[in-house]
Amino acid sequence: MAAPEERDLTQEQTEKLLQFQDLTGIESMDQCRHTLEQHNWNIEAAVQDRLNEQEGVPSVFNPPPSRPLQVNTADHRIYSYVVSRPQPRGLLGWGYYLIMLPFRFTYYTILDIFRFALRFIRPDPRSRVTDPVGDIVSFMHSFEEKYGRAHPVFYQGTYSQALNDAKRELRFLLVYLHGDDHQDSDEFCRNTLCAPEVISLINTRMLFWACSTNKPEGYRVSQALRENTYPFLAMIMLKDRRMTVVGRLEGLIQPDDLINQLTFIMDANQTYLVSERLEREERNQTQVLRQQQDEAYLASLRADQEKERKKREERERKRRKEEEVQQQKLAEERRRQNLQEEKERKLECLPPEPSANDPESVKIIFKLPNDTRVERRFHSSQSLTVIHDFLFSLKESPEKFQIEANFPRRVLPCVPSEEWPNPPTLQEAGLSHTEVLFVQDLTDE
């Protein structure tokens, strides 16, 4: 299941949180979340800002005083290899060396004094990095113009980007700082760096970033790595979750010697990369397992919600059905009550039954649909409506019915209609003395 720190996050934000933790190695989920929220969950900007902080570049949210880029260079286990310039040989060589020594000392002393004084007059333009990618591209073009296109593949990006890619890909990063004014730089680039076997080794086993210290980007990296002389090479890798310098090579190194030194550094530190790969794979597996658990939980939650929704719908359906049945019962009860009240009203409104001795009386025998017989006398001058009202008031009579005579067979117009707006009297209908009428049920029609 998701960790407590990841509650109230969307699935996309949770994935970004875990990916950011994997890229930066920050153990605290709260810190990871705080950093991502500062960058509006833009993981690329958050990772770059975090790497910049590790290198000494000010954060956009907490800018410290300006200081050079830094990686971990304080590790006492850093391998350092310095090639000294060869000592003079023979009497002629020592004589030339001693003659030139005062001039060389005077030249470099005056040059250092001039540079030191110049800093107070005009700040070093290299201290402001305005176009780091432009610095890299400019150095690449000048390198190819001077030494040709046969060289290791330059990383075409800033130093921060190179560190980021080396960390993400778990690869070695070889950094070369080019001193344009140093006497050994030209020979190193032409004979060592551009040697086919050196190119093959660098291109197949590491990333290669290079820049001139005369460029602002190169100068900034120079301040971070603190080289002593040129040519200068630094091997950087992810070690103990930090980008760390694990090897420094300084001086004019020959191709075979450079290959041996780089191979030795990589072999000595390969176990750290293997360990980091295993840890990263374990974190990825943990992330996948956590994601699978979250997906299983969400699937179970959705299934439970679907069951609950169906239960609610079933309860609602039953409730509506019960309400509908109850309403039908109430409607039927009201209808029956209204019908009974109507029967009672009709019964109360019936005229009195004439006596048997009345010569104008007509005895009518009604045969109801349930085969029962009902007798009553009516006055011949009364409307057929009275017959209908009498039958309607009976408990045994149907709700809707019509009255039929048998000889001749006809339906008596007992209720007003278009044909008979005023129903005829019994006499007008041809009913006299004793008659038998049939009641036909029309309730279901």
Side-chain angles (χ1 to χ4, degrees), residues 139-152 154 176 178-195 199:
F139 171 72
M140 289 171 50
H141 290 166
S142 63
F143 188 95
E144 291 180 349
E145 289 176 0
K146 192 170 185 179
Y147 306 111
R149 302 181 64 88
H151 56 75
F154 291 110
Y176 169 61
H178 183 79
D180 293 271
D181 301 329
H182 197 275
Q183 55 188 347
D184 293 332
S185 295
D186 185 72
E187 181 180 351
F188 174 78
C189 292
R190 193 179 306 277
N191 298 329
T192 301
L193 200 55
C194 294
I199 295 175

Side-chain angles (χ1 to χ4, degrees), residues 294-305:
D294 290 344
E295 291 175 353
Y297 169 75
L298 292 176
S300 176
L301 181 61
R302 284 193 293 267
D304 292 342
Q305 292 173 343

